[in-house]
Amino acid sequence: MLFHLTWVLAFAPTHLAYVAALGSECTVPLCGGNAPPNEPYWLEKVKHQGIAAYNPDPTGYKVFRNVKDYGAIGDGVADDTEAILRAISTGPRCGQDCGSSTISPATVYFPQGTYLVTDSIPLYYYTEVIGDARKPPTILAAASFNPAALAIFDADPYIPGGNGNQWYVNQNNFFRSVKNLQFDTTLVPPEVVATCIHWQVSQATSLYNLVFKLSAANGTQHRAVQMENGSGGFMGDLIIDGGNIGLDVGNQQFTVRNVTINDSNTGVRMAWNWGWNFQGITINNAQVGFEVSVDGVGGIAIIDAVVRDTLVFYRSSRATDRLQSSIVLNNVQATNVSTIVGIVGGETILAGSAGHTYVDTWVQGNVYAGHDFEGYTQDYIAPISKDWSLLEDGRIFGKGRPMYADYDITQIISVKDHGAKGDGRTDDTAALQKILDRFSGCKIIFFDAGIYLVSDTLKIPAGVHIFGETWAVIAGTGSKFSDIDNPKTVVQVGAPASKGTAEIGGIVFSTRGPTAGAIVLQWNVYSETKGCAGMWDSYIRLGGAAGSELQLSECPKTDVGNRQCFAAFLAVHLTRHSNAYFEGTWIWLADHDMETLNSNQTTIYSGRGLLSESQGPVWLIGTGSEHHVIVNYNLAGAANHYIGLPQTESPYYQPNPPPPNPLFTTLSEWKDPSFNTNQTSAWGLYITKSRDILVFGAGLYSFFINYDASQCSTADRLNCQSEILNVDSRTEVSIYNLATVGTTYQLSIDSSPVIPAAGNGNGFSRTVTAWTPW
């Protein structure tokens, strides 16, 4: 019964909120889907006109691939391995010996059915795998499944005889997604190490709406997800039944939301990280909920967890009496759990009970308050303050990407059917604006795969629902966005102070440079329904991609200060009267050219990453903002924010020159931070005059001094930059599991350093387990 209830929650259709304004062709708002019961998902039926705009053969190259068009049967009897591989690999795709590329994207679609496979299937770079959201298809591993295969789906295959080398550099393994599928390994003998997904990935990646059915037999070695390396990403709305290990993972930083693990021997095994967030995890009937290596794991934050009928919820590999593997547990509901926190061998750190045990806030690590070090703590601390607007049923609110599963094809309109080209050459401003003005609020607006250039502000009305195919790109270009002294918005979501719905999924917002005056995304809309003003699986990408004119040939790393290499004034602005739910959003100023085999470094400039003046509620879940000149995250006069594991990197060329140079200046009207003489690199996170801000996990990194990593590449090197996080004394903020790399100080108050990193060594990174203003 629990499985079926969770299935409904994970795959329930999105109910759309009423919108305040409708397009000119609309008579009633889009309030629900009207697809007949046995109809396939609309994505299968829509006319697929998407193109790879900068592919050598843009009209001949096929972006959308239905696996049945490549010979898959889907009856659970025929071997579909080769057909699925053809669907993924046909054409000049980016596989082994490619490195990375944006010019050959693909959406690989699975209709309803059961697809029998006998061997591992590599997932090529820039691939979105998506199943019928109405009745998710099953990928069934045959009893004869290759026992030497690493996984059914492999996002980063190892090269045979390659001495551990893989197809892709794991830290640059971007733009991957798997959605709406079930995996079944129950036919595979339980003693075989059968894994569903090898997910060694980095930013701009997601696993969404997946169910894993693994062998529960004695001695089972089955796993749902294996990840041994990488740099960032998001997974959410997963159900795992059975197996030896649910999630067998390690990565620099990662966010997990809404995962249920039933009847696994070990729910999560973690070998290493700098920081991970688990938000909303349920574990039922396990031997161990979390099995964690003290010597590899920097920090784990677990918020809003339910654990039942489990011997040990969290078990460390060995005991420690100092900071080593930071833990934050918050709002853990345990029933029939003998040990909440324990050590391999049986020692109990935090006892459970045969009845109900509630853990409000318990930590292991270094705790700070204001300017003072409170000491190493293995105990309960003061409850974490959370504004009510951020909660639902006492938990941090969360919402998966809207898939519009029950909507009929008549409720979808394609932008290409109404005049937009998406060819990376045509100015699509007028065509897109006309479509948005006509259909927002009463149709799902489908952006076919492509590059849509806009030369003026594209105004997306409140009420919009946008579904992008294969990360369709909206790119600002031209003189309108070139004046750094007169910045202009590329995409405006909602008129200022507007109310209504704004749901955006699968879109990349970008520029074609030079665009020094571009405000890439201005977010104005406010929704009175939680999560109905939001973005999922959508990214801001500035430079480093084909057609951006901000690549290696234009902007080599040695060409510092080149005015032709300015990508944006500001990437994202959450205005005062807006609210927002952003999940997995990556705000990336490119540090390298994705179209080169060796990911050659580039020097490109964007003044600011994310500026929020919103009064909330705002949820930033599993987001990142990297390489912006002045500041990556800036909260100024903001309120009611939940920020779950934000990740930043400072620009690689700094301090040559130091911010705000070259060309940018700090501007009070844009709430820019100040810099003291020691602060010669960008701020990672800067918070002023704000209240009710909760930062739950954070990874703020500095890896280079003028492209030289030699002073930053070991755990004891703390001089890549002086400071990276600042809060002012008028701000109400709490921070948990803060991880930094390469910085002398981890936290400053009023631009005065408070917490030296030297005192918080924790493997490669430095960790502050908890900090509150008082």
Side-chain angles (χ1 to χ4, degrees):
M1 185 65 184
L2 174 65
F3 170 82
H4 294 294
L5 174 61
T6 313
W7 170 267
V8 170
L9 292 174
F11 287 93
T14 302
H15 296 286
L16 305 181
Y18 182 78
V19 298
L22 295 174
S24 61
E25 302 258 340
C26 303
T27 55
V28 295
L30 188 67
C31 292
N34 58 23
N38 295 319
E39 279 289 294
Y41 186 35
W42 62 265
L43 186 62
E44 183 175 333
K45 300 173 65 178
V46 72
K47 182 168 60 174
H48 290 284
Q49 308 168 82
I51 63 170
Y54 299 123
N55 192 277
D57 183 16
T59 56
Y61 178 86
K62 184 173 288 188
V63 175
F64 183 84
R65 295 121 184 268
N66 185 322
V67 295
K68 289 195 171 183
D69 292 339
Y70 293 80
I73 305 300
D75 62 357
V77 177
D79 184 351
D80 286 326
T81 309
E82 291 301 320
I84 295 169
L85 182 58
R86 283 194 296 273
I88 290 173
S89 62
T90 297
R93 304 265 0 255
C94 184
Q96 186 177 348
D97 301 324
C98 166
S100 65
S101 177
T102 67
I103 67 172
S104 55
T107 290
V108 179
Y109 177 76
F110 285 80
Q112 297 175 15
T114 297
Y115 299 85
L116 187 74
V117 296
T118 55
D119 208 344
S120 184
I121 298 169
L123 302 181
Y124 283 46
Y125 193 90
Y126 221 101
T127 298
E128 177 185 42
V129 177
I130 185 168
D132 185 311
R134 306 202 72 197
K135 187 178 181 182
T138 296
I139 311 299
L140 176 65
S144 60
F145 187 81
N146 180 5
L150 187 56
I152 298 174
F153 282 175
D154 193 342
D156 197 2
Y158 285 88
I159 299 170
N163 297 316
N165 290 323
Q166 296 170 266
W167 283 21
Y168 310 106
V169 175
N170 62 78
Q171 294 93 340
N172 297 337
N173 200 8
F174 308 146
F175 295 102
R176 310 304 194 89
S177 186
V178 180
K179 306 179 184 73
N180 308 334
L181 291 175
Q182 302 181 74
F183 293 84
D184 189 332
T185 64
T186 56
L187 297 181
V188 180
E191 67 272 12
V192 173
V193 180
T195 302
C196 298
I197 299 178
H198 176 226
W199 198 242
Q200 186 161 275
V201 295
S202 190
Q203 291 88 350
T205 61
S206 63
L207 299 177
Y208 262 124
N209 291 346
L210 305 177
V211 172
F212 302 88
K213 188 176 182 182
L214 314 174
S215 171
N218 289 335
T220 178
Q221 296 299 308
H222 294 194
R223 298 176 294 192
V225 178
Q226 177 188 346
M227 177 196 305
E228 64 273 29
N229 217 322
S231 174
F234 171 84
M235 63 177 75
D237 303 329
L238 312 182
I239 300 167
I240 301 169
D241 286 311
N244 183 37
I245 303 170
L247 302 177
D248 195 357
V249 290
N251 194 293
Q252 286 180 13
Q253 66 285 315
F254 217 90
T255 297
V256 174
R257 183 193 54 74
N258 188 29
V259 172
T260 296
I261 303 174
N262 303 309
D263 305 312
S264 294
N265 292 332
T266 299
V268 178
R269 183 170 72 177
M270 183 163 290
W272 80 280
N273 71 37
W274 297 345
W276 271 63
N277 264 21
F278 292 88
Q279 178 194 336
I281 187 165
T282 298
I283 297 175
N284 296 299
N285 192 31
Q287 296 295 308
V288 179
F290 286 80
E291 187 80 66
V292 178
S293 169
V294 167
D295 297 300
V297 170
I300 292 181
I302 303 172
I303 185 170
D304 299 334
V306 174
V307 55
R308 306 182 185 96
D309 304 320
T310 295
L311 291 178
V312 181
F313 176 53
Y314 188 105
R315 187 166 70 181
S316 296
S317 58
R318 62 176 178 82
T320 179
D321 58 0
R322 60 184 178 85
L323 174 62
Q324 200 165 18
S325 188
S326 173
I327 306 170
V328 179
L329 305 181
N330 176 244
N331 190 26
V332 176
Q333 306 278 351
T335 302
N336 192 23
V337 178
S338 300
T339 302
I340 304 298
V341 180
I343 306 297
V344 171
E347 180 183 348
T348 296
I349 304 299
L350 180 63
S353 70
H356 181 262
T357 304
Y358 175 63
V359 179
D360 188 307
T361 307
W362 187 94
V363 305
Q364 172 182 289
N366 287 354
V367 175
Y368 293 80
H371 292 70
D372 299 324
F373 176 45
E374 301 282 291
Y376 175 74
T377 302
Q378 276 186 323
D379 206 344
Y380 287 94
I381 62 172
I384 294 175
S385 176
K386 305 168 193 169
D387 187 79
W388 65 269
S389 66
L390 298 168
L391 307 179
E392 185 172 71
D393 298 326
R395 298 156 64 97
I396 295 292
F397 173 78
K399 177 180 175 179
R401 177 180 170 180
M403 300 303 297
Y404 311 112
D406 291 331
Y407 289 78
D408 186 70
I409 188 66
T410 60
Q411 297 177 288
I412 316 296
I413 67 105
S414 159
V415 296
K416 286 206 168 187
D417 278 344
H418 293 271
K421 299 297 183 184
D423 59 10
R425 296 167 179 83
T426 302
D427 185 345
D428 281 320
T429 313
L432 291 177
Q433 192 63 64
K434 185 176 181 181
I435 293 164
L436 292 164
D437 290 344
R438 291 175 64 191
F439 297 109
S440 285
C442 66
K443 298 287 186 182
I444 308 295
I445 298 178
F446 179 65
F447 272 72
D448 313 77
I451 312 289
Y452 297 87
L453 299 181
V454 295
S455 60
D456 203 346
T457 301
L458 184 67
K459 298 179 179 179
I460 298 178
V464 76
H465 308 89
I466 289 176
F467 191 103
E469 180 185 36
T470 329
W471 300 291
V473 178
I474 302 173
T477 187
S479 60
K480 179 84 173 185
F481 309 117
S482 65
D483 187 354
I484 197 170
D485 296 318
N486 187 24
K488 298 294 182 183
T489 299
V490 177
V491 177
Q492 179 192 79
V493 181
S498 61
K499 291 186 178 181
T501 294
E503 293 182 341
I504 298 175
I507 296 290
V508 169
F509 300 93
S510 187
T511 59
R512 188 174 73 180
T515 44
I519 300 170
V520 182
L521 183 66
Q522 182 190 78
W523 193 271
N524 294 311
V525 69
Y526 181 94
S527 173
E528 294 179 349
T529 302
K530 287 184 173 74
C532 282
M535 291 203 313
W536 298 259
D537 207 12
S538 295
Y539 312 104
I540 286 79
R541 186 180 71 204
L542 303 173
S548 66
E549 299 185 6
L550 296 165
Q551 294 179 252
L552 182 66
S553 58
E554 295 92 3
C555 306
K557 72 175 187 180
T558 55
D559 196 5
V560 176
N562 186 346
R563 289 175 176 262
Q564 299 303 304
C565 295
F566 284 77
F569 178 88
L570 167 63
V572 178
H573 185 197
L574 305 182
T575 59
R576 181 173 178 80
H577 298 290
S578 70
N579 63 5
Y581 182 96
F582 285 5
E583 187 168 88
T585 302
W586 185 37
I587 305 168
W588 187 54
L589 176 68
D591 59 273
H592 67 270
D593 188 342
M594 288 187 288
E595 312 303 337
T596 61
L597 178 62
N598 297 315
S599 299
N600 299 81
Q601 290 176 324
T602 56
T603 297
I604 306 169
Y605 305 100
S606 163
R608 304 147 184 90
L610 181 143
L611 167 63
S612 179
E613 300 177 87
S614 168
Q615 301 306 290
V618 167
W619 299 265
L620 302 177
I621 297 176
T623 66
S625 180
E626 296 185 311
H627 310 132
H628 303 278
V629 172
I630 298 172
V631 60
N632 286 294
Y633 287 89
N634 186 7
L635 275 61
N640 307 320
H641 284 45
Y642 170 76
I643 308 176
L645 198 54
Q647 181 253 326
T648 73
E649 291 182 12
S650 300
Y652 296 171
Y653 66 84
Q654 289 177 343
N656 179 32
N661 297 313
L663 192 59
F664 292 104
T665 56
T666 52
L667 301 170
S668 60
E669 61 266 36
W670 289 100
K671 310 300 190 293
D672 284 340
S674 60
F675 291 87
N676 59 42
T677 56
N678 294 322
Q679 182 64 4
T680 56
S681 294
W683 288 103
L685 174 59
Y686 199 86
I687 308 175
T688 55
K689 301 178 183 178
S690 300
R691 60 178 176 83
D692 293 317
I693 309 298
L694 172 57
V695 180
F696 211 99
L700 311 180
Y701 312 140
S702 189
F703 292 135
F704 294 90
I705 297 175
N706 191 20
Y707 283 108
D708 179 7
S710 64
Q711 299 181 62
C712 317
S713 57
T714 61
D716 60 346
R717 303 291 175 87
L718 305 177
N719 61 343
C720 271
Q721 70 181 74
S722 176
E723 303 166 54
I724 201 162
L725 188 162
N726 181 73
V727 300
D728 73 350
S729 52
R730 291 174 287 182
T731 286
E732 298 173 8
V733 58
S734 300
I735 301 172
Y736 299 88
N737 258 3
L738 163 66
T740 64
V741 171
T743 66
T744 307
Y745 297 96
Q746 295 186 271
L747 184 140
S748 304
I749 299 176
D750 293 325
S751 297
S752 177
V754 170
I755 300 179
N760 294 312
N762 187 17
F764 187 81
S765 61
R766 304 281 159 151
T767 306
V768 174
T769 301
W771 177 85
T772 53
W774 45 76

